[in-house]
Amino acid sequence: MPALESNTRIAVIGAGAMGSGIAQVAAQAGHPVFLHDQREGAAEAGRAGIARQLQRRVDKGKMSQQALDDIVGRIHPVAALEEVAEAGLVIEAIVEDLDIKRALLSRLEALCTDDTILATNTSSLSVTALGAGMKHPERLVGMHFFNPAPLMALVEVVRGLATDPTVAETVHATASRWGKKPVYATSTPGFIVNRVARPFYAESLRLLQEQAADAATLDALMREAGQFRMGAFELTDLIGHDVNYAVTCSVFNAYYQDPRFLPSLIQQELVAAGRLGRKSGQGFYRYGEDDERPQPQTEAMRESRASTVIVEGDLGPAGALTERLRAAGLTVIERAGKGQIRFGQAVLALTDGRMATERAATEGCHNLVLFDLAFDYASATRLAIAAADQASPEAIDDACALLQRAGFAVSRVADRPGLVVMRTVAMLANEAADAHLHGVATAADIDLAMQAGLNYPDGPLRWSDRLGSHRVFTVLSHLQRSYGEDRYRPSLLLRKNVFANKGFHHE
C-alpha cells in the first residue's frame, strides 16, 4: 500500500516528550500536524519545545531558519479533541494505561472519519487488547516509536489480532517515507525490541550477582570486545532502573514467569533504594560532579620467555587472531588440532559455554585458559579470559602475555560458563530465534529492529549465522547443563537449523 500523502493531516494525542517528538517527525515530512493534550497549555508547550530543539540545529548551521519556521508552522496545537476529526492518521502517545487508552480510542473512533487510521505508540500494552473495545478494531495498529523519536530510526508497526493488513502496510510505508526504518511485529509481549533485548541486561546482571567481575569491567568488555555502544549497567543507568526493571517484570509476567525473562534481585534492590541511575544521581555508577567513573579491571603487563605461538586447527570466529599475533612480531606455527592456541605453558581456547575448570578436567588439559567472544578480533581492544582452577600461575601469565602482545587489554574474570560476550550474544540470538519461530517478526526485521532501535553492532540472528548455528547451540546447551535451568534452553528453531546445517537468513 502507498504511504499517506504529505498533505494528509496527522494528529498526535499527547504532547509529552514522545508525542512532541512524533509531531516533529510528521511535520518534518511535510504534514500538517494537530497536537492535542488534555492538560491546558501542554500542546503549546510541546510546540515551543520542538522550536527550541530545532533552533539548536539552526545555531549550529545544520538547518536554515526558514526550514525551522516551516516545520513549526505546520504544527497546530488544538484544545479540543474534536478538532482532530478530519485527520487521516491519529497517533496516541498518552500514559501507558490500558483503560485510559481504550477510552481515548473509543472517543476517537466515534469522532473521526471511517477512513482515519488510529495508531497507538504503546511500548508494552497489547494492540489486540486495546482494540477489543472498539467497534472497528481493524483500523487500529501499533506505531511504536523509540525515544527520542526525531533521532531514533526504528518504528515497530504492530499488528493486533484484528488489524487490517492494508492499514499496517500504509503505516509501514508512511514511516518509511518519514525517513524511519519500520519493521512489522505481531502483538505479543515486548513486541521485538523489548523482548529480544532482555538477555543483554539479564546476563550482565547475573554475572555481577555471581561476582564474575565488577560492573565497570563487564561494561568495558561489552563495549570493547562486543562493540556494543554501551554496557548493560551504563545503559540501565541511562534508561532508569525503575523503567527497565518494570519492563522486565512486565515481560516476565506476560510470558507466565518463563525463567528466560527472570528479573534481577540486584536491580530490584536498586529500585527499592531509589538508586534509579542518572536521573537520581546514582545507580550502578555515581553521577555527582566530583564522581569519577570506576575503571575496568585490567591485568598488569606480563612477560613471557616464549616467542613461538602454535595454532592448532581452526579457531572459528577467532581466526583473525592468527594474523594479529603475526603482526605483533610473534612466530606463528599452524598445525592440525582441535582449535586452540599454545604459548609457553598456556593452552588458550574460545569459550564453548563450559567453565574452564570443567573443560580442563574433561579434556585433560590442566593449563587451559578460555578467552571470550569478540565482534571483530582484528580490531577489538579488550578481551576477557577465565582460567581453569587447575591452571598454573605461569600458564595464566603466558596467556595474558600473549594477548597483551597482540594489543589487547586483558580482563580476567571469574570462571563462569560462557564468559561475558559469548553468553550474552548466544542468549540474544536464542531469544530472537524464538521470536522468529513464534511469528513475531521475520529474521530480517528482527535484526533491523535490534540495530536501528538499540544500535547493536549486528543483528542477533545474522551474528548467529556468522558464528554458526552449531556453535551457538553448543554454548546454550552447555549453559543449560551448567546451571540446570530452563532459562538457557536452546530454541527449537535454532536446534532445527543445526541439523539442517543452515542459518536464519538462508531459509
Side-chain angles (χ1 to χ4, degrees):
M1 294 295 292
L4 296 173
E5 297 292 338
S6 60
N7 61 357
T8 303
R9 296 182 182 183
I10 307 296
V12 180
I13 314 301
M18 182 58 77
S20 295
I22 296 170
Q24 179 183 329
V25 170
Q28 286 176 171
H31 293 273
V33 179
F34 294 83
L35 183 60
H36 171 76
D37 197 297
Q38 66 175 1
R39 297 168 298 158
E40 185 175 353
E44 290 80 359
R47 183 173 67 172
I50 293 169
R52 285 194 300 273
Q53 291 289 338
L54 294 177
Q55 186 62 52
R56 295 192 184 100
R57 299 196 66 194
V58 173
D59 294 342
K60 294 177 181 179
K62 296 181 178 180
M63 174 183 283
S64 69
Q65 185 64 47
Q66 184 61 55
L68 182 155
D69 293 341
D70 289 345
I71 293 168
V72 175
R74 286 192 286 268
I75 300 173
H76 310 283
V78 295
L81 193 63
E82 288 74 11
E83 295 181 68
V84 310
E86 300 301 317
L89 170 64
V90 181
I91 306 169
E92 71 80 10
I94 64 172
V95 63
E96 283 286 277
D97 182 284
L98 181 65
D99 292 335
I100 295 174
K101 284 183 183 288
R102 274 180 168 174
L104 172 63
L105 290 168
S106 293
R107 284 192 66 195
L108 289 170
E109 186 179 34
L111 287 171
C112 295
T113 68
D114 292 343
D115 295 331
T116 301
I117 295 173
L118 302 179
T120 172
N121 183 57
T122 182
S123 61
S124 61
L125 299 176
S126 165
V127 175
T128 298
L130 287 170
M134 297 173 60
K135 293 179 180 178
H136 298 285
E138 64 273 9
R139 70 197 294 191
L140 178 66
V141 64
M143 197 175 187
H144 181 209
F145 289 80
F146 287 72
N147 196 26
L151 300 180
M152 297 300 291
L154 182 66
V155 175
E156 291 179 319
V157 179
V158 187
R159 297 166 293 201
L161 195 60
T163 302
D164 186 332
T166 60
V167 168
E169 289 166 10
T170 298
V171 167
H172 188 282
T174 300
S176 183
R177 183 180 172 277
W178 291 358
K180 297 302 181 182
K181 293 181 178 179
V183 295
Y184 288 114
T186 56
S187 184
T188 52
F191 310 145
I192 301 173
V193 170
N194 279 332
R195 171 184 177 171
V196 176
R198 297 342 296 167
F200 181 80
Y201 314 109
E203 293 311 306
S204 283
L205 283 162
R206 184 160 203 170
L207 285 165
L208 183 67
Q209 187 168 322
E210 294 175 350
Q211 302 182 74
D214 58 70
T217 301
L218 293 169
D219 275 350
L221 288 165
M222 294 304 293
R223 289 194 314 271
E224 299 174 38
Q227 287 191 17
F228 289 91
R229 186 72 60 87
M230 303 176 80
F233 305 113
E234 50 197 348
L235 181 54
T236 50
D237 271 6
L238 178 64
I239 294 169
H241 291 286
D242 51 343
V243 174
N244 187 260
Y245 180 70
V247 172
T248 300
C249 290
S250 174
V251 173
F252 177 62
N253 290 321
Y255 282 100
Y256 305 104
Q257 290 79 50
D258 188 325
R260 189 175 282 167
F261 305 109
L262 184 70
S264 165
L265 293 174
I266 290 178
Q267 194 170 40
Q268 182 186 56
E269 285 290 282
L270 287 177
V271 173
R275 298 182 180 183
L276 306 181
R278 287 179 179 270
K279 61 187 175 184
S280 70
Q282 184 176 1
F284 286 108
Y285 304 107
R286 294 180 178 271
Y287 296 94
E289 289 185 8
D290 299 326
D291 290 318
E292 295 184 5
R293 177 68 64 88
Q295 296 301 303
Q297 181 276 326
T298 304
E299 291 296 301
M301 293 299 294
R302 306 290 217 284
E303 296 292 335
S304 175
R305 294 180 181 178
S307 60
T308 298
V309 182
I310 299 172
V311 176
E312 298 180 337
D314 184 5
L315 297 181
L321 277 177
T322 302
E323 287 307 312
R324 186 161 174 168
L325 292 169
R326 281 200 181 98
L330 292 159
T331 300
V332 178
I333 298 173
E334 296 183 69
R335 67 189 188 194
K338 54 184 180 180
Q340 59 190 22
I341 301 171
R342 294 184 181 274
F343 183 71
Q345 294 191 34
V347 178
L348 295 91
L350 176 63
T351 177
D352 66 357
R354 289 178 289 176
M355 289 182 287
T357 302
E358 176 185 358
R359 187 168 165 181
T362 302
E363 297 181 358
C365 178
H366 292 173
N367 283 332
L368 182 65
V369 178
L370 299 180
F371 59 86
D372 202 2
L373 178 66
F375 180 77
D376 179 6
Y377 285 93
S379 61
T381 57
R382 182 177 297 273
L383 202 59
I385 63 167
D389 282 4
Q390 303 94 317
S392 69
E394 293 78 14
I396 297 170
D397 285 345
D398 283 339
C400 289
L402 175 66
L403 294 174
Q404 288 166 345
R405 284 278 299 273
F408 292 101
V410 177
S411 291
R412 183 181 174 189
V413 301
D415 186 18
R416 303 290 181 262
L419 280 92
V420 182
V421 180
M422 178 66 90
R423 69 189 280 167
T424 302
V425 170
M427 285 293 282
L428 287 168
N430 201 43
E431 195 54 50
D434 250 19
H436 183 27
L437 175 68
H438 298 157
V440 175
T442 65
D445 273 2
I446 290 170
D447 280 344
L448 175 59
M450 302 312 289
Q451 288 187 277
L454 294 176
N455 294 309
Y456 280 11
D458 203 351
L461 296 179
R462 192 162 38 246
W463 203 337
S464 176
D465 285 354
R466 288 198 295 114
L467 293 174
S469 295
H470 187 274
R471 187 180 302 277
V472 176
F473 181 80
T474 298
V475 169
L476 291 166
S477 298
H478 285 152
L479 283 165
Q480 186 181 28
R481 282 198 289 271
S482 293
Y483 285 103
E485 296 177 14
D486 209 29
R487 169 186 178 124
Y488 297 102
R489 67 186 186 277
S491 168
L492 185 66
L493 183 55
L494 178 63
R495 184 183 187 90
K496 183 171 78 72
N497 282 358
V498 170
F499 289 99
N501 193 29
K502 67 180 181 181
F504 293 98
H505 289 280
H506 303 285
E507 295 187 345

